[in-house]
Amino acid sequence: MTRAMHPVGPFDEPGVGCAAETTQGLGGWNDILREHFVSLDVDETVDTDREFVSSVRSTLVGHLSAAVVSSVRQSARRTPGLVRVDPRTYLQVGMVTRGRAVLEQDGREAVLTPGHYAVYETDRPFAWHFDGPWTLNVLTWPRELVPLGVDVTRAATARTLGRDRLGTIVGHALAETATAPPDLGETAAGRLAGQLAALLGTAVGESLRRDEVLSPGSAEDLRARVDEYVVDHLADPDLGPEEIARAFFISVRTLHRVFADGDLSVSALIRTRRLQHARRRLLDPRDAALSLTEIAHSCGFADLASFSRRFKQEFHEAPATYRRRAGFIMRG
């Protein structure tokens, strides 16, 4: 095995760094993969009658590791045992530029040929299968720095991307970063890493939206996640079905269909959570100095009139009267 530079893990140092390694043996290949990515097992079905030449060249661009990986026919697996002993959690994209690959994760498999790519995550088992010589661009982000919900990425793993115009545009940007990484200052490199993650999220979201793919689990699970999202965004006056559908990468029609089996529609859920939050704030001594208008705005209501009307419909009492009565009761 020869080393062009001392290898580094994907995120061992900030800024832009580079490491390259080449090996001619299977034994050292597992070590290289672990040093540059995460622990993987390369199976013993590798064609040992042929020269085993494999290489990795990785570059740090802010918090993104951009790598070009080449090797021969093999399968590389991230087993449950390896996940336990090597718990590093990344979101990765693998893009085939030579050969053919199959990526497996979360009960799905993506067949990739040159130009196609797929998302996978390292906190769960996955496997790559290559039936001949191959080259793969691999982009790796720390999972916590990718602005995509867990339910979204679990629905997106092992799905072939890069087959439509948007996917091709995003794929080109990812490929350029891996094959010709720019030499940037730390701030610019971090910004680029974040922007590429956002671009990837756009491609993933449009793919899921087009295929009407819901996150794993029942409609009840999705309703619970939407409820949490609503509670976290009550102050947003634009909160509505369209924004929620975008956040979960589903169509508005699908969102309404999921809530059709629940107790409340999406709009009713938003209204109910806003009014419940407003009632709590009217009772909170810490908010005693706030006007009714300020409380209304903090709960996402456009104005005091609409807030008062909705509050009285829900609780059969005007908010000003409720606040005075509750204050009197608490003082007494």
Side-chain angles (χ1 to χ4, degrees), residues 278-292:
R279 183 169 63 170
R280 287 192 294 270
R281 298 203 65 176
L282 289 172
L283 295 175
D284 194 336
R286 294 171 297 181
D287 292 332
L290 294 180
S291 69
L292 292 178

Side-chain angles (χ1 to χ4, degrees), residues 243-306:
E243 179 180 329
I244 294 171
R246 283 195 298 271
F248 285 83
F249 295 107
I250 58 177
S251 69
V252 175
R253 178 171 59 85
T254 298
L255 178 65
H256 286 310
R257 187 174 70 241
V258 168
F259 272 79
D261 295 329
D263 297 329
L264 297 171
S265 67
V266 181
S267 298
L269 173 68
I270 296 170
R271 183 171 61 252
T272 298
R273 294 292 178 259
R274 279 179 168 158
L275 290 170
Q276 290 171 341
H277 184 57
R279 183 169 63 170
R280 287 192 294 270
R281 298 203 65 176
L282 289 172
L283 295 175
D284 194 336
R286 294 171 297 181
D287 292 332
L290 294 180
S291 69
L292 292 178
T293 299
E294 289 172 322
I295 288 178
H297 287 165
S298 72
C299 297
F301 291 96
D303 51 55
L304 179 58
S306 62

Side-chain angles (χ1 to χ4, degrees), residues 21-326:
E21 293 190 79
T22 302
T23 181
Q24 295 184 352
L26 176 59
W29 186 228
N30 277 317
D31 294 334
I32 290 177
L33 292 175
R34 181 177 63 253
E35 289 168 343
H36 286 264
F37 308 108
V38 291
S39 296
L40 299 170
D41 277 341
V42 179
D43 66 19
E44 298 299 328
T45 63
V46 172
D47 188 355
T48 54
D49 293 332
R50 303 182 63 183
E51 186 177 18
F52 187 97
V53 177
S54 303
S55 65
V56 175
R57 193 267 304 147
S58 62
T59 304
L60 286 173
V61 182
H63 55 270
L64 167 67
S65 172
V68 178
V69 189
S70 295
S71 191
V72 296
R73 180 172 67 88
Q74 63 192 256
S75 292
R77 294 180 173 84
R78 175 87 161 156
T79 64
L82 290 178
V83 172
R84 287 193 296 271
V85 300
D86 175 20
R88 290 176 290 173
T89 303
Y90 303 125
L91 182 141
Q92 296 186 292
V93 170
M95 173 183 288
V96 172
T97 61
R98 178 176 65 116
R100 178 182 178 276
V102 176
L103 169 65
E104 297 176 352
Q105 190 170 45
D106 296 327
R108 293 182 294 271
E109 65 175 40
V111 179
L112 306 176
T113 53
H116 294 158
Y117 55 102
V119 173
Y120 55 108
E121 294 182 295
T122 64
D123 64 343
R124 304 187 301 284
F126 64 83
W128 281 100
H129 306 286
F130 305 95
D131 56 13
W134 54 274
T135 300
L136 199 67
N137 294 333
V138 180
L139 295 102
T140 306
W141 290 265
R143 180 62 185 87
E144 68 273 13
L145 297 182
V146 177
L148 289 174
V150 172
D151 56 325
V152 173
T153 52
R154 280 183 177 270
T157 53
R159 296 186 184 278
T160 304
L161 301 172
R163 295 183 295 190
D164 58 9
R165 180 60 178 159
L166 175 61
T168 300
I169 292 171
V170 174
H172 181 73
L174 298 176
E176 283 293 304
T177 304
T179 57
D183 186 5
L184 302 172
E186 184 174 347
T187 300
R191 186 179 300 117
L192 177 59
Q195 290 170 342
L196 288 172
L199 277 176
L200 175 65
T202 301
V204 166
E206 287 304 305
S207 175
L208 296 182
R209 193 194 310 277
R210 183 180 61 249
D211 296 339
E212 291 294 318
V213 175
L214 295 178
S215 58
S218 66
E220 183 179 356
D221 294 330
L222 182 56
R223 287 195 295 270
R225 291 181 183 275
V226 170
D227 197 353
E228 292 176 2
Y229 182 88
V230 168
V231 170
D232 289 340
H233 295 81
L234 287 176
D236 181 1
D238 296 324
L239 180 66
E242 292 79 10
E243 179 180 329
I244 294 171
R246 283 195 298 271
F248 285 83
F249 295 107
I250 58 177
S251 69
V252 175
R253 178 171 59 85
T254 298
L255 178 65
H256 286 310
R257 187 174 70 241
V258 168
F259 272 79
D261 295 329
D263 297 329
L264 297 171
S265 67
V266 181
S267 298
L269 173 68
I270 296 170
R271 183 171 61 252
T272 298
R273 294 292 178 259
R274 279 179 168 158
L275 290 170
Q276 290 171 341
H277 184 57
R279 183 169 63 170
R280 287 192 294 270
R281 298 203 65 176
L282 289 172
L283 295 175
D284 194 336
R286 294 171 297 181
D287 292 332
L290 294 180
S291 69
L292 292 178
T293 299
E294 289 172 322
I295 288 178
H297 287 165
S298 72
C299 297
F301 291 96
D303 51 55
L304 179 58
S306 62
F307 166 56
S308 298
R309 184 175 62 255
R310 293 290 189 184
F311 191 94
K312 190 171 184 179
Q313 289 173 348
E314 183 73 15
F315 303 117
H316 310 293
E317 193 170 24
T321 305
Y322 179 83
R323 193 181 211 184
R324 285 195 302 269
R325 186 175 60 80

